[in-house]
Amino acid sequence: MFSIDSLKELVGEQGYNYFAVVDTPEVIDDFIYKRPVVAIAAKYPIVEVAAVEHDSELASMLGLNSEFTFSRKVLRATVTLPHIGNTDCYVVHFKSKRPMINVDEHNKELTPEKNIIEILKANVAGGWGSTIQRGSEATLLMIQMITRREATQQPMLLMGDFNNELADGVLSHLLTKTLRFAPAFDAKTYLAKYCLNDSWDLFVKSQLSNGELLSDEIITNDVQIDCNSNNSEIVDSTDKSQEKNTKITNPAPLRAPTHYYGASSSVLDYILLSCEFDASYDDSFFEVSDYSTYDRHLINPEYERDDLTTDHGVVLITLKLRS
């Protein structure tokens, strides 16, 4: 986000009367900005706001230099939510995959081959540098979240642009489910309390437990699935005489991408939740009853309406109080 006051006014008109930032973008010239910042808007009171500070001693142990900082300041806002009380909401924009090393791509002093070699080396080394930064940000943030959780016992919520798929090993530790060398009983008892869950996984699990999805779906025919952000359409491409061989009942939904790059797509934006929002956890308050990705501005853009919109899909979840 670049224009803080404009966004605050815009979301205020939609009923989000509580708004917070912990940094300001850099102004290049008048209304031209760079280095965007993160923000949070809420309909419920924000009672505390802070920029997360990483553990510098731990960073040093990880081999990071003393100048390490988050590429964008991480915002922590404590929001007083109905039924559950004060909840720590973290907003992030982790380091992008853009290589950290820049080269002149049109260096006329080099031969074409030498120029390509220099670009290749910059991409390999610079891309890995960005990966180290992104993974380190996630790690140091997670440590601070666990420390905060231990001190306050408040529910946690982490959301934003992760610039990476969670399944990738770079960020997979955000969803730690097992511990090596720890007593099995103790680990099972306490891990759920201090770890996070992908809201998509909680949504699918909730649908399964409510009988709205089949966990043992069987598809024996060649089935094409056409999925957008809101629905799935099943098209049987086999001979109708073979329909009896296909069993499809309430197929599991497909997760919509949140980012497109050329012909490829990926999920880079997430909402992670602590156990208070996991219906399978005995002491939870809420369950994820709906999950969707708003992507009309990406799939079917109209210039007059979408010329200033984000280049990412917007992840939306609905939390329902458990009965």
Side-chain angles (χ1 to χ4, degrees):
M1 177 210 48
F2 291 109
S3 304
I4 295 175
D5 293 336
S6 298
L7 180 59
K8 182 178 181 180
E9 180 181 351
L10 183 64
V11 297
E13 294 172 354
Q14 305 302 315
Y16 293 86
N17 296 318
Y18 302 92
F19 185 89
V21 295
V22 291
D23 200 6
T24 55
E26 182 179 341
V27 181
I28 300 176
D29 180 28
D30 195 12
F31 59 87
I32 301 176
Y33 295 80
K34 70 175 183 178
R35 301 191 184 281
V37 301
V38 299
I40 186 171
K43 291 186 176 182
Y44 301 105
I46 297 176
V47 296
E48 183 183 353
V49 179
V52 176
E53 299 292 339
H54 70 276
D55 184 332
S56 55
E57 183 177 350
L58 176 58
S60 177
M61 292 173 59
L62 296 177
L64 303 173
N65 65 41
S66 59
E67 302 299 318
F68 176 88
T69 59
F70 290 109
S71 56
R72 298 172 184 86
K73 287 187 178 182
V74 177
L75 183 155
R76 187 191 74 230
T78 302
V79 182
T80 304
L81 298 178
H83 307 290
I84 202 171
N86 287 350
T87 300
D88 288 327
C89 301
Y90 296 81
V91 185
V92 299
H93 187 174
F94 291 141
K95 177 69 179 74
S96 72
K97 293 185 178 181
R98 187 177 298 109
M100 298 179 69
I101 299 175
N102 297 316
V103 295
D104 183 358
E105 299 179 0
H106 305 286
N107 190 336
K108 297 181 179 180
E109 296 181 2
L110 302 177
T111 66
E113 180 178 4
K114 183 63 176 176
N115 190 45
I116 289 297
I117 290 173
E118 292 303 310
I119 294 173
L120 174 61
K121 291 193 292 186
N123 272 261
V124 171
W128 176 241
S130 295
T131 299
I132 293 173
Q133 174 75 25
R134 185 166 57 258
S136 299
E137 289 176 357
T139 299
L140 293 171
L141 170 60
M142 190 65 192
I143 296 303
Q144 295 306 106
M145 292 178 68
I146 293 171
T147 302
R148 170 85 174 177
R149 171 77 153 174
E150 181 183 15
T152 67
Q153 301 298 305
Q154 292 173 176
M156 303 182 293
L157 186 155
L158 171 60
M159 56 188 170
D161 178 2
F162 288 19
N163 266 316
N164 212 105
E165 294 186 328
L166 270 178
D168 190 324
V170 177
L171 299 184
S172 59
H173 52 283
L174 291 176
L175 300 179
T176 299
K177 299 299 181 187
T178 59
L179 291 178
R180 298 179 64 184
F181 312 122
F185 177 79
D186 291 343
K188 183 177 180 181
T189 302
Y190 296 111
L191 261 183
K193 182 178 179 181
Y194 289 96
C195 294
L196 296 169
N197 305 276
D198 187 347
S199 56
W200 169 260
D201 294 337
L202 295 182
F203 167 65
V204 172
K205 185 162 58 174
S206 176
Q207 298 296 292
L208 284 169
S209 65
N210 293 331
E212 297 182 33
L213 297 175
L214 283 185
S215 60
D216 58 348
E217 179 188 8
I218 301 174
I219 303 179
T220 59
N221 281 345
D222 180 16
V223 176
Q224 298 175 344
I225 300 180
D226 178 21
C227 178
N228 60 28
S229 62
N230 297 313
N231 59 76
S232 297
E233 179 182 358
I234 305 301
V235 181
D236 190 349
S237 61
T238 62
D239 191 309
K240 294 298 181 181
S241 64
Q242 298 180 2
E243 284 185 353
K244 62 182 180 181
N245 296 325
T246 303
K247 178 184 177 182
I248 304 176
T249 306
N250 297 333
L254 296 181
R255 190 175 197 166
T258 66
H259 188 258
Y260 295 88
Y261 183 78
S264 63
S265 62
S266 54
V267 179
L268 301 182
D269 304 84
Y270 296 89
I271 300 176
L272 308 186
L273 304 166
S274 58
C275 60
E276 287 83 1
F277 306 95
D278 180 357
S280 67
Y281 186 73
D282 289 342
D283 296 327
S284 64
F285 285 77
F286 293 92
E287 64 177 315
V288 181
S289 61
D290 193 25
Y291 179 109
S292 61
T293 302
Y294 181 82
D295 57 7
R296 183 181 66 176
H297 57 293
L298 302 177
I299 304 300
N300 185 29
E302 295 181 9
Y303 180 80
E304 293 78 8
R305 180 190 66 201
D306 301 319
D307 64 315
L308 297 178
T309 55
T310 173
D311 61 345
H312 283 239
V314 181
V315 176
L316 308 169
I317 66 170
T318 300
L319 300 174
K320 183 175 71 173
L321 187 66
R322 295 185 64 195
S323 56

